[in-house]
Amino acid sequence: MISIDNVNGNEVDVHLHAVHTDGSTADYAGSYVVENGTITHGSLHLVATSGATHTPVPTTPSGPAGALNPAVTHSTIHSTICVPGWTATIRPPVDETEHLKKQQLAESSTADKDPSHYEEDHIVPLELGGAPSDPANLRPVRLSQARTDDQLENSLHRDVCDGSMTLTAAQSRIEQAKAAEALP
């Protein structure tokens, strides 16, 4: 998970917390410089690590990782996500997401495996630059939770498109919100 610690002019201080599949962690701190909407240079350095916990970190479908669409950057939002109807042009077919949903439910430890109780949801939604068909960005969520998520996703999308929030900040916020709702 990446968090923005401070913004001072065109310099952004960040913190990266990485959790490895063996449960070990690594923390990095650094900064990058933005000029004319483009990151021109940056650096990260290791500040802390922890050893393996011997309990593997869950992976998809319960992992909150998400995956991003490389075509969507802060400099392309007005030709991609902020264009009405754009997400419909990249949304994966229902038969593809239904198949993945059934597979992920079968692999999960949740007791309720009825696919009709779930929606195959993008961790980073398409309207915030999420990867359309990458299984790392798709997971089943209960229908009631999907409706709640939609409200936050729409609010963050509005904030990005009206310039009151950066795309990266919105992506980080939605990933944090969805990390808490993962299936077992």
Side-chain angles (χ1 to χ4, degrees):
M1 178 177 307
I2 296 176
S3 60
I4 297 174
D5 296 331
N6 186 40
V7 177
N8 186 12
N10 63 346
E11 186 168 331
V12 180
D13 296 325
V14 295
H15 177 92
L16 170 68
H17 178 73
V19 179
H20 305 282
T21 56
D22 67 355
S24 64
T25 64
D27 288 283
Y28 301 85
S31 63
Y32 61 90
V33 175
V34 179
E35 293 177 4
N36 298 320
T38 302
I39 296 174
T40 57
H41 58 280
S43 65
L44 280 176
H45 60 277
L46 184 65
V47 294
T49 61
S50 74
T53 62
H54 304 293
T55 304
V57 173
T59 57
T60 302
S62 59
L68 302 178
N69 181 343
V72 180
T73 65
H74 196 74
S75 63
T76 66
I77 61 173
H78 294 293
S79 62
T80 56
I81 64 170
C82 296
V83 174
W86 182 82
T87 59
T89 67
I90 62 165
R91 190 169 302 282
V94 172
D95 60 337
E96 181 182 315
T97 57
E98 278 298 306
H99 174 74
L100 182 60
K101 175 173 63 173
K102 290 174 184 174
Q103 177 185 344
Q104 290 172 331
L105 284 169
E107 294 170 357
S108 76
S109 61
T110 188
D112 180 7
K113 297 192 186 291
D114 183 343
S116 69
H117 297 166
Y118 299 88
E119 174 181 303
E120 189 69 0
D121 191 39
H122 288 91
I123 297 169
V124 178
L126 300 181
E127 61 264 41
L128 292 176
S133 298
D134 188 331
N137 195 41
L138 287 158
R139 50 95 191 250
V141 296
R142 294 201 174 273
L143 293 175
S144 59
Q145 185 61 53
R147 289 185 202 99
T148 301
D149 289 348
D150 288 345
Q151 293 173 358
L152 177 59
E153 292 166 6
N154 292 337
S155 173
L156 292 172
H157 178 256
R158 278 190 302 276
D159 290 347
V160 169
C161 292
D162 73 14
S164 62
M165 180 179 277
T166 67
L167 178 62
T168 304
Q171 290 167 339
S172 178
R173 180 147 176 229
I174 199 71
E175 286 176 328
Q176 290 171 3
K178 290 188 176 185
E181 27 175 276
L183 288 178

